[in-house]
Amino acid sequence: MNGRRDLVAEFRSGNVRGLARAITLVEQRDPSARRLLTALGGELRRPRVVGFTGAPGTGKSTLVDALVALLRRRDRTVAVIAVDPNSPYSGGAILGDRIRMQGHALDPGVYIRSMGARGHLGGLSVATREAVRLLGAFGFQHVILETVGVGQSELEVAAIADSTAVVLTPGSGDGVQMIKAGIMEIADVFVVNKADLPGAQRTVQEVRNLLSLGPKLEWRPPIVTTVAATGEGVEELLEAFERHREHLERSGEGRRRAEARLKDEAADLVAEWARAEARRLLDEDRELAARLLRDRVPYAAADEILTRRLTPGAVDRSSPPAGRGEEARPERS
Ligand SMILES: Nc1nc2c(ncn2[C@@H]2O[C@H](COP(=O)(O)OP(=O)(O)O)[C@@H](O)[C@H]2O)c(=O)[nH]1
Ligand SMILES: [Mg+2]
């Protein structure tokens, strides 16, 4: 129940607990997080953000761990967020990852946590973007996003990151799956990890063939082979990210993506708010609910909610209007 000043002061003090609390508030979609982000407005520095996606077990966490170690050897600070849309749990890393990442546990230049969905439909990508913003404001130079679960998170992480690596392993033969899932499009870099296992070169060739089927783009995603377990190839991976970053700057694609990200985020915030408001009105306004049930189709009710609530300033007007349902939680404290 700390007030806004405390939260801002705690965050600015550089204490990692302030950062952790702020990210938890963001994750809970607590309005005080938005007030913190607004207060930090002038201090927001965009960190370099890379994302890792790929099937479970391909070695993403091991790779991320090796990349963190490399960045630390170069005196860069780095935060890792494990994004798990299927998990209601959060606040700590998945057990296996936590054990692996323990080498960095006492290093203040490294921050690691996972973020789960906590039942907020669509809220995870809004929350992840805000967490990235907080990490940048806190001073982290790099942020690494790792997808934990499978599903939507691949595309969401790719939409947030500057550069996205798709991690494959030898013999996984999932080329067709990748095309189906739209994974080819989101890869800025391909990683064939576990190159110590047989078949790595064949997998590289498969990806090369798949790429040659696609449109000729200005940026041809490089294919980097790694052995995450020993750190082999991780320097090359970092170089590939750097080259992609230079391409983004040179081509104007980086600016285009940054603009798209902001538009996405604004639209997501409106959608998130509107959905919560609509649910609240439908739960609280008995007449509205009765009419909806009588209509048997939702269109008139949806229209009415829009005309009642979609007025200028509504997004910031967090006090609930007339009709006090017991479920209504005051958003202002
Ligand atoms: N042989 C081999 N095994 C690896 C390599 N990288 C990771 N692994 C192993 O693959 C398993 C899954 O790794 P993990 O990083 O948890 O995969 P994630 O689910 O994609 O995060 C673990 O047992 C790792 O030790 C590698 O380069 N070679
Ligand atoms: Mg993992």
Side-chain angles (χ1 to χ4, degrees):
M1 294 291 154
N2 286 287
R4 167 191 164 186
R5 288 258 298 286
D6 292 340
L7 184 60
V8 176
E10 190 184 20
F11 187 90
R12 285 211 179 108
S13 75
N15 187 330
V16 76
R17 272 167 48 209
L19 172 65
R21 192 155 78 92
I23 295 179
T24 298
L25 290 170
V26 148
E27 192 176 36
Q28 293 168 341
R29 311 308 301 139
D30 187 302
S32 61
R34 200 194 304 158
R35 292 195 285 270
L36 170 65
L37 283 160
T38 305
L40 292 173
E43 297 157 45
L44 300 174
R45 276 163 300 186
R46 166 98 178 157
R48 300 186 182 189
V49 187
V50 298
F52 284 83
T53 86
T58 48
K60 295 180 297 296
S61 296
T62 317
L63 263 177
V64 168
D65 193 22
L67 186 58
V68 167
L70 175 59
L71 287 167
R72 292 305 290 143
R73 286 201 296 279
R74 297 190 178 176
D75 255 343
R76 314 286 298 175
T77 56
V78 54
V80 178
I81 304 179
V83 180
D84 190 353
N86 302 315
S87 170
Y89 306 109
S90 66
I94 310 303
L95 186 59
D97 295 347
R98 184 156 48 199
I99 291 166
R100 224 182 336 261
M101 290 288 187
Q102 222 140 50
H104 309 294
L106 297 174
D107 180 352
V110 178
Y111 179 76
I112 296 161
R113 77 173 278 158
S114 65
M115 292 182 71
R118 289 216 174 161
H120 294 275
L121 189 72
L124 187 56
S125 76
V126 180
T128 306
R129 274 188 284 238
E130 290 182 348
V132 167
R133 188 164 284 148
L134 286 171
L135 291 165
F138 198 78
F140 282 101
Q141 295 167 307
H142 294 260
V143 173
I144 303 176
L145 305 174
E146 179 194 340
T147 60
V148 176
V150 276
Q152 251 318 91
S153 59
E154 273 89 359
L155 304 182
E156 287 181 358
V157 160
I160 298 169
D162 303 314
S163 309
T164 301
V166 171
V167 184
L168 306 167
T169 52
S172 49
D174 40 15
V176 178
Q177 284 306 105
M178 281 201 301
I179 292 175
K180 272 197 200 151
I183 297 291
M184 294 300 288
E185 282 82 28
I186 64 168
D188 300 308
V189 175
F190 282 96
V191 180
V192 176
N193 186 41
K194 307 197 185 183
D196 54 320
L197 302 182
Q201 277 319 307
R202 211 177 57 224
T203 303
V204 169
Q205 194 53 50
E206 275 169 23
V207 175
R208 208 171 276 150
N209 293 345
L210 283 173
L211 283 173
S212 69
L213 299 175
K216 275 257 175 296
L217 300 170
E218 216 184 311
W219 173 256
R220 287 183 65 85
I223 308 165
V224 182
T225 53
T226 57
V227 183
T230 65
E232 204 182 311
V234 175
E235 297 218 7
E236 288 77 2
L237 175 58
L238 184 57
E239 270 166 38
F241 281 139
E242 284 300 318
R243 267 184 289 128
H244 183 244
R245 180 185 161 78
E246 284 158 19
H247 159 76
L248 291 176
E249 280 174 13
R250 212 178 31 244
S251 63
E253 172 74 5
R255 196 165 39 88
R256 203 191 57 74
R257 285 191 188 188
E259 286 170 8
R261 273 198 305 268
L262 269 178
K263 287 179 183 174
D264 271 358
E265 192 172 12
D268 282 355
L269 277 178
V270 171
E272 179 184 62
W273 168 84
R275 190 170 202 287
E277 275 300 287
R279 284 311 300 238
R280 197 179 56 70
L281 272 181
L282 288 164
D283 287 342
E284 288 174 11
D285 187 327
R286 294 215 184 129
E287 272 177 49
L288 177 65
R291 254 175 289 143
L292 168 67
L293 297 181
R294 225 182 301 122
D295 287 351
R296 292 175 179 223
V297 283
Y299 310 107
D303 260 348
E304 183 177 334
I305 291 167
L306 280 174
T307 43
R308 254 159 76 176
R309 293 300 285 149
L310 213 59
T311 52
V315 172
D316 262 343
R317 206 169 44 224
S318 39
S319 56
R324 312 138 278 170
E326 272 144 59
E327 300 286 85
R329 285 214 255 109
E331 287 173 72
R332 218 185 276 282
S333 51

PDB file of all heavy atoms in Angstrom, residues 162-176:
ATOM      1  N   ASP A 162      13.962  -5.967 -30.657  1.00  0.00           N
ATOM      2  CA  ASP A 162      14.579  -5.374 -31.848  1.00  0.00           C
ATOM      3  C   ASP A 162      14.978  -6.488 -32.804  1.00  0.00           C
ATOM      4  O   ASP A 162      14.827  -6.366 -34.011  1.00  0.00           O
ATOM      5  CB  ASP A 162      15.847  -4.588 -31.461  1.00  0.00           C
ATOM      6  CG  ASP A 162      15.559  -3.510 -30.440  1.00  0.00           C
ATOM      7  OD1 ASP A 162      14.568  -2.777 -30.623  1.00  0.00           O
ATOM      8  OD2 ASP A 162      16.311  -3.412 -29.448  1.00  0.00           O
ATOM      9  N   SER A 163      15.541  -7.534 -32.237  1.00  0.00           N
ATOM     10  CA  SER A 163      16.006  -8.666 -33.038  1.00  0.00           C
ATOM     11  C   SER A 163      15.521  -9.949 -32.392  1.00  0.00           C
ATOM     12  O   SER A 163      15.593 -10.101 -31.175  1.00  0.00           O
ATOM     13  CB  SER A 163      17.540  -8.707 -33.087  1.00  0.00           C
ATOM     14  OG  SER A 163      18.070  -7.453 -33.467  1.00  0.00           O
ATOM     15  N   THR A 164      15.049 -10.860 -33.224  1.00  0.00           N
ATOM     16  CA  THR A 164      14.530 -12.118 -32.696  1.00  0.00           C
ATOM     17  C   THR A 164      15.312 -13.297 -33.255  1.00  0.00           C
ATOM     18  O   THR A 164      15.512 -13.394 -34.466  1.00  0.00           O
ATOM     19  CB  THR A 164      13.038 -12.277 -33.069  1.00  0.00           C
ATOM     20  OG1 THR A 164      12.315 -11.163 -32.531  1.00  0.00           O
ATOM     21  CG2 THR A 164      12.461 -13.569 -32.509  1.00  0.00           C
ATOM     22  N   ALA A 165      15.759 -14.152 -32.361  1.00  0.00           N
ATOM     23  CA  ALA A 165      16.449 -15.371 -32.771  1.00  0.00           C
ATOM     24  C   ALA A 165      15.504 -16.547 -32.629  1.00  0.00           C
ATOM     25  O   ALA A 165      14.839 -16.702 -31.600  1.00  0.00           O
ATOM     26  CB  ALA A 165      17.685 -15.595 -31.893  1.00  0.00           C
ATOM     27  N   VAL A 166      15.422 -17.349 -33.666  1.00  0.00           N
ATOM     28  CA  VAL A 166      14.661 -18.595 -33.609  1.00  0.00           C
ATOM     29  C   VAL A 166      15.665 -19.729 -33.423  1.00  0.00           C
ATOM     30  O   VAL A 166      16.594 -19.874 -34.218  1.00  0.00           O
ATOM     31  CB  VAL A 166      13.819 -18.799 -34.880  1.00  0.00           C
ATOM     32  CG1 VAL A 166      13.213 -20.196 -34.907  1.00  0.00           C
ATOM     33  CG2 VAL A 166      12.718 -17.746 -34.955  1.00  0.00           C
ATOM     34  N   VAL A 167      15.474 -20.496 -32.360  1.00  0.00           N
ATOM     35  CA  VAL A 167      16.442 -21.534 -32.005  1.00  0.00           C
ATOM     36  C   VAL A 167      15.932 -22.902 -32.467  1.00  0.00           C
ATOM     37  O   VAL A 167      14.804 -23.300 -32.143  1.00  0.00           O
ATOM     38  CB  VAL A 167      16.700 -21.557 -30.481  1.00  0.00           C
ATOM     39  CG1 VAL A 167      17.777 -22.586 -30.134  1.00  0.00           C
ATOM     40  CG2 VAL A 167      17.106 -20.168 -29.985  1.00  0.00           C
ATOM     41  N   LEU A 168      16.761 -23.586 -33.227  1.00  0.00           N
ATOM     42  CA  LEU A 168      16.440 -24.926 -33.725  1.00  0.00           C
ATOM     43  C   LEU A 168      17.522 -25.881 -33.259  1.00  0.00           C
ATOM     44  O   LEU A 168      18.586 -25.446 -32.800  1.00  0.00           O
ATOM     45  CB  LEU A 168      16.420 -24.926 -35.261  1.00  0.00           C
ATOM     46  CG  LEU A 168      15.519 -23.891 -35.923  1.00  0.00           C
ATOM     47  CD1 LEU A 168      15.841 -23.800 -37.399  1.00  0.00           C
ATOM     48  CD2 LEU A 168      14.069 -24.265 -35.710  1.00  0.00           C
ATOM     49  N   THR A 169      17.243 -27.170 -33.403  1.00  0.00           N
ATOM     50  CA  THR A 169      18.269 -28.161 -33.070  1.00  0.00           C
ATOM     51  C   THR A 169      18.383 -29.158 -34.218  1.00  0.00           C
ATOM     52  O   THR A 169      17.447 -29.300 -35.012  1.00  0.00           O
ATOM     53  CB  THR A 169      17.914 -28.917 -31.771  1.00  0.00           C
ATOM     54  OG1 THR A 169      16.584 -29.415 -31.895  1.00  0.00           O
ATOM     55  CG2 THR A 169      17.997 -28.014 -30.566  1.00  0.00           C
ATOM     56  N   PRO A 170      19.510 -29.847 -34.312  1.00  0.00           N
ATOM     57  CA  PRO A 170      19.706 -30.798 -35.406  1.00  0.00           C
ATOM     58  C   PRO A 170      18.623 -31.866 -35.398  1.00  0.00           C
ATOM     59  O   PRO A 170      18.230 -32.350 -34.335  1.00  0.00           O
ATOM     60  CB  PRO A 170      21.073 -31.420 -35.105  1.00  0.00           C
ATOM     61  CG  PRO A 170      21.765 -30.440 -34.246  1.00  0.00           C
ATOM     62  CD  PRO A 170      20.694 -29.762 -33.448  1.00  0.00           C
ATOM     63  N   GLY A 171      18.155 -32.175 -36.579  1.00  0.00           N
ATOM     64  CA  GLY A 171      17.239 -33.288 -36.700  1.00  0.00           C
ATOM     65  C   GLY A 171      15.833 -33.023 -36.210  1.00  0.00           C
ATOM     66  O   GLY A 171      15.009 -33.932 -36.181  1.00  0.00           O
ATOM     67  N   SER A 172      15.541 -31.791 -35.824  1.00  0.00           N
ATOM     68  CA  SER A 172      14.184 -31.528 -35.335  1.00  0.00           C
ATOM     69  C   SER A 172      13.203 -31.515 -36.497  1.00  0.00           C
ATOM     70  O   SER A 172      12.011 -31.718 -36.310  1.00  0.00           O
ATOM     71  CB  SER A 172      14.131 -30.219 -34.552  1.00  0.00           C
ATOM     72  OG  SER A 172      14.758 -29.188 -35.274  1.00  0.00           O
ATOM     73  N   GLY A 173      13.731 -31.266 -37.699  1.00  0.00           N
ATOM     74  CA  GLY A 173      12.914 -31.347 -38.909  1.00  0.00           C
ATOM     75  C   GLY A 173      11.615 -30.569 -38.843  1.00  0.00           C
ATOM     76  O   GLY A 173      10.593 -31.008 -39.359  1.00  0.00           O
ATOM     77  N   ASP A 174      11.657 -29.395 -38.222  1.00  0.00           N
ATOM     78  CA  ASP A 174      10.395 -28.684 -38.066  1.00  0.00           C
ATOM     79  C   ASP A 174      10.233 -27.516 -39.042  1.00  0.00           C
ATOM     80  O   ASP A 174       9.578 -26.545 -38.743  1.00  0.00           O
ATOM     81  CB  ASP A 174      10.190 -28.223 -36.616  1.00  0.00           C
ATOM     82  CG  ASP A 174      11.457 -27.721 -35.981  1.00  0.00           C
ATOM     83  OD1 ASP A 174      12.415 -27.455 -36.732  1.00  0.00           O
ATOM     84  OD2 ASP A 174      11.505 -27.598 -34.754  1.00  0.00           O
ATOM     85  N   GLY A 175      10.853 -27.667 -40.200  1.00  0.00           N
ATOM     86  CA  GLY A 175      10.750 -26.613 -41.208  1.00  0.00           C
ATOM     87  C   GLY A 175       9.316 -26.278 -41.583  1.00  0.00           C
ATOM     88  O   GLY A 175       8.921 -25.112 -41.588  1.00  0.00           O
ATOM     89  N   VAL A 176       8.538 -27.311 -41.865  1.00  0.00           N
ATOM     90  CA  VAL A 176       7.153 -27.082 -42.276  1.00  0.00           C
ATOM     91  C   VAL A 176       6.360 -26.435 -41.137  1.00  0.00           C
ATOM     92  O   VAL A 176       5.585 -25.498 -41.336  1.00  0.00           O
ATOM     93  CB  VAL A 176       6.492 -28.409 -42.697  1.00  0.00           C
ATOM     94  CG1 VAL A 176       5.031 -28.188 -43.071  1.00  0.00           C
ATOM     95  CG2 VAL A 176       7.245 -29.029 -43.855  1.00  0.00           C
TER      96      VAL A 176
END
